[in-house]
Amino acid sequence: MSDKIILIGAGLAGSLLSVYLAKKGYQVELFERRPDMRKTNIGAGRSINLALSTRGIHALKEVGLYEEIMKIAIPMKGRMIHNRNGDMQFQPYGKNDSEVINAVSRGDLNMRLMDLAEKNKNVTIHFNERCTGMNFSTGEVHLTNEVSSESHIEKGRTVIGTDGSASAIRMDMLKIGRFSFSQSYLEHGYKELTIPAGDNGDFLLEKNALHIWPRKTYMLIALPNIDGSFTCTLFYPMEGENSFEALKTESQLLAFFQKEFPDALALMPTLREDYFTNPVGTLITVKCSPWYVEDKVVLLGDAAHAMVPFYGQGMNCAFEDCTYLNGCIESFGPNWETVFKEYEKLRKVNANAIADLAVENFYEMRDKVSDPLFVLKKKIEHVLEEKFPGIFIPKYTMVSFMRVPYATAMQRGLVQDFILNELTIGIERMDEVDLIKAEQLIRDNLTPM
Ligand SMILES: Cc1cc2nc3c(=O)[nH]c(=O)nc-3n(C[C@H](O)[C@H](O)[C@H](O)COP(=O)(O)OP(=O)(O)OC[C@H]3O[C@@H](n4cnc5c(N)ncnc54)[C@H](O)[C@@H]3O)c2cc1C
């Protein structure tokens, strides 16, 4: 049997995975439906920039791309909260400057991953090749060229579906028996807007922060780009009284921004064009099982588990999938069915956990971050982390700055939420926290990690 592996989708996960597989000596054929973004001026897809954190960084280090990518990344040390009256409040993400998340351009990252992939003589990327389905009995993949409209069939030792949240491979898995599938849309959509750079490429907002304008049922965020601009994303209901559907005219748009985000509005000269030109994206959670069919095919990244972006973990989780699949190939290859089975066993429960945490974090970001009780709890978290190292670790830290399984982070996070709730009953200030009670609660409920 040939050592050819077919990957469907040369997005973030597919491009990275091809490098892992090439390093193991496999011949990798990647089929990507879009043209080559390094040669054609196409948008790189959803969201212009992304937050890269520890799990994604670990994978980049494993394939030797970390240094290259960090050249185009901007560290974000915390959240900068913008109130309606223009006041700002900085909330650090971690306990020091090494605990940062990194803003990186999706397009640049994808292009560099493709460059690195193609440096391996055994990786070939075929562009304009849309997968239209798969025959799971024979392992044959059906492809159609988007330019010539010609169809052909490809077959390899196995197939990996890295074709994103609307995966064509997954669609065909729906047709076979005992395949569980759920998708749920958030009632909110998103639209990208811009704060351009100032004169000489100056950043017009604090550079090393993720900016948030939380407004209870909706929010605006902004991440920095290396050219001094910020990509802003408005998360807003799709329908209803306050919604994208209702916000139709220039005067409505300006009145809305003037009332809700006046400091941002002052920095957005292209707001009208951006708002009326850019599409509204939808926000989806996809869960499915099993992720594989025998030794024929497996799903990875958004194809297996799309999640809403509010923990900044979709790509990081997809990159961590690559790390785990690589580990399973090391342990069980070339018995592909066992590789896929073990990989799903390790990842599925964790993908479910981070998908749920991501939805939960939406409510935290848009609603709670400016709440005094939330701010007090964050302060207590940092103090407890300092006093009980390795035992009390904030949930955000476990998810973003460590590689502990997401399900563990979720479960310990729930226990810690209980402890924080107990400690904040009837108090308003940090100096009122009963540290003896804190120690008792921690000893009773948490074990060292
Ligand atoms: C607004 C927004 C903000 C986000 N922010 C973050 C963040 O800060 N941090 C983070 O970690 N994640 C973030 N994410 C999530 C992240 O974008 C995804 O999790 C990540 O892109 C998944 O990578 P992937 O390779 O699995 O899928 P994709 O990046 O979607 O790649 C899939 C590839 O497959 C190709 N393809 C699709 N169908 C076919 C087909 N039929 N045939 C051939 N090719 C096909 C596509 O063209 C694409 O190139 C965000 C997402 C959104 C929407």
Side-chain angles (χ1 to χ4, degrees):
M1 187 66 86
S2 89
D3 261 350
K4 180 166 98 174
I5 299 185
I6 293 179
L7 262 57
I8 304 300
L12 297 172
S15 303
L16 176 69
L17 183 63
S18 71
V19 183
Y20 271 107
L21 294 172
K23 281 182 183 291
K24 289 215 150 8
Y26 292 105
Q27 183 201 336
V28 187
E29 304 281 331
L30 267 156
F31 292 90
E32 166 58 46
R33 87 176 146 78
R34 292 181 298 183
D36 187 345
M37 64 172 78
R38 294 165 298 180
K39 298 179 185 153
T40 324
N41 189 14
I42 52 164
R46 299 153 301 153
S47 86
I48 289 165
N49 53 18
L50 303 157
L52 171 68
S53 51
T54 297
R55 294 164 203 266
I57 286 174
H58 176 83
L60 293 173
K61 281 184 177 165
E62 281 195 328
V63 295
L65 193 58
Y66 170 68
E67 272 84 19
E68 267 297 292
I69 295 304
M70 291 323 274
K71 287 182 195 157
I72 54 162
I74 299 181
M76 298 182 290
K77 298 177 185 173
R79 300 163 164 159
M80 184 69 83
I81 309 300
H82 294 247
N83 297 325
R84 280 194 187 82
N85 64 6
D87 286 352
M88 285 184 271
Q89 182 189 47
F90 183 73
Q91 297 174 358
Y93 281 131
K95 56 183 180 307
N96 55 45
D97 278 4
S98 68
E99 291 188 337
V100 299
I101 58 174
N102 302 280
V104 63
S105 150
R106 174 195 286 273
D108 285 351
L109 178 57
N110 209 153
M111 288 189 277
R112 282 182 196 221
L113 286 172
M114 285 178 183
D115 284 344
L116 183 84
E118 285 181 334
K119 275 192 188 157
N120 294 278
K121 64 177 181 345
N122 42 350
V123 174
T124 311
I125 310 180
H126 307 268
F127 293 97
N128 298 306
E129 292 283 345
R130 177 192 289 272
C131 170
T132 53
M134 181 169 175
N135 181 331
F136 299 114
S137 314
T138 61
E140 290 171 346
V141 179
H142 299 264
L143 293 145
T144 300
N145 187 283
E146 296 279 69
V147 180
S148 67
S149 301
E150 279 169 23
S151 296
H152 59 109
I153 285 174
E154 291 287 334
K155 187 165 168 16
R157 181 61 193 84
T158 193
V159 177
I160 305 180
T162 48
D163 49 347
S165 59
S167 168
I169 297 281
R170 196 188 62 227
M171 289 301 169
D172 265 4
M173 287 165 82
L174 270 173
K175 296 177 195 154
I176 54 178
R178 299 188 64 240
F179 183 74
S180 307
F181 173 73
S182 73
Q183 64 177 31
S184 53
Y185 284 95
L186 225 57
E187 73 205 57
H188 289 66
Y190 70 95
K191 191 182 275 276
E192 288 189 345
L193 307 166
T194 310
I195 293 179
D199 297 338
N200 310 316
D202 294 343
F203 289 85
L204 298 181
L205 294 170
E206 163 58 45
K207 173 183 172 186
N208 297 113
L210 190 154
H211 296 262
I212 310 182
W213 290 257
R215 297 296 182 260
K216 297 270 179 211
T217 54
Y218 44 84
M219 68 173 172
L220 180 72
I221 67 167
L223 274 72
N225 296 306
I226 45 174
D227 65 0
S229 66
F230 286 82
T231 302
C232 307
T233 311
L234 174 64
F235 295 97
Y236 203 41
M238 299 287 279
E239 294 165 1
E241 198 182 332
N242 295 305
S243 69
F244 282 120
E245 186 191 54
L247 201 56
K248 283 197 197 113
T249 65
E250 276 189 24
S251 58
Q252 283 174 325
L253 176 68
L254 290 182
F256 173 60
F257 268 72
Q258 189 59 58
K259 177 165 173 259
E260 299 295 342
F261 317 114
D263 56 339
L265 176 63
L267 305 174
M268 298 173 113
T270 57
L271 174 64
R272 288 187 197 83
E273 295 91 295
D274 291 347
Y275 185 86
F276 291 108
T277 311
N278 293 346
V280 176
T282 53
L283 296 163
I284 191 172
T285 302
V286 172
K287 292 181 181 171
C288 67
S289 169
W291 286 357
Y292 67 99
V293 181
E294 299 166 359
D295 60 351
K296 301 287 189 301
V297 66
V298 71
L299 302 172
L300 183 143
D302 275 17
H305 50 65
M307 64 192 74
V308 296
F310 304 107
Y311 233 115
Q313 284 296 313
M315 167 190 64
N316 288 290
C317 179
F319 283 8
E320 194 174 56
D321 286 352
C322 298
T323 304
Y324 273 79
L325 184 63
N326 185 54
C328 290
I329 295 172
E330 252 155 46
S331 305
F332 307 105
N335 182 343
W336 289 100
E337 185 160 1
T338 310
V339 168
F340 297 160
K341 188 175 174 189
E342 292 301 314
Y343 152 76
E344 178 171 351
K345 202 153 69 178
L346 290 167
R347 295 304 287 161
K348 170 82 183 134
V349 61
N350 291 303
N352 283 350
I354 189 60
D356 293 345
L357 285 172
V359 173
E360 194 184 292
N361 215 39
F362 178 44
Y363 300 104
E364 181 167 311
M365 283 174 84
R366 69 170 203 192
D367 195 1
K368 295 190 192 146
V369 284
S370 52
D371 178 320
L373 181 59
F374 175 87
V375 177
L376 177 62
K377 284 182 180 174
K378 285 280 154 203
K379 284 186 186 150
I380 299 174
E381 273 190 337
H382 288 307
V383 169
L384 296 183
E385 184 183 17
E386 192 104 320
K387 279 185 94 59
F388 305 97
I391 305 177
F392 192 104
I393 306 172
K395 186 166 59 187
Y396 192 88
T397 300
M398 287 188 276
V399 169
S400 303
F401 307 131
M402 296 172 74
R403 294 180 54 239
V404 297
Y406 289 120
T408 306
M410 184 172 180
Q411 188 264 328
R412 290 183 75 97
L414 283 172
V415 175
Q416 292 176 174
D417 286 345
F418 159 76
I419 293 173
L420 291 170
N421 286 340
E422 287 291 309
L423 291 177
T424 48
I425 294 171
I427 67 160
E428 287 175 3
R429 293 189 323 270
M430 190 62 223
D431 59 9
E432 294 175 292
V433 177
D434 181 345
L435 287 173
I436 295 169
K437 183 177 173 187
E439 177 161 6
Q440 193 56 52
L441 283 166
I442 289 170
R443 300 259 173 255
D444 289 350
N445 294 286
L446 287 171
T447 48
M449 283 195 74

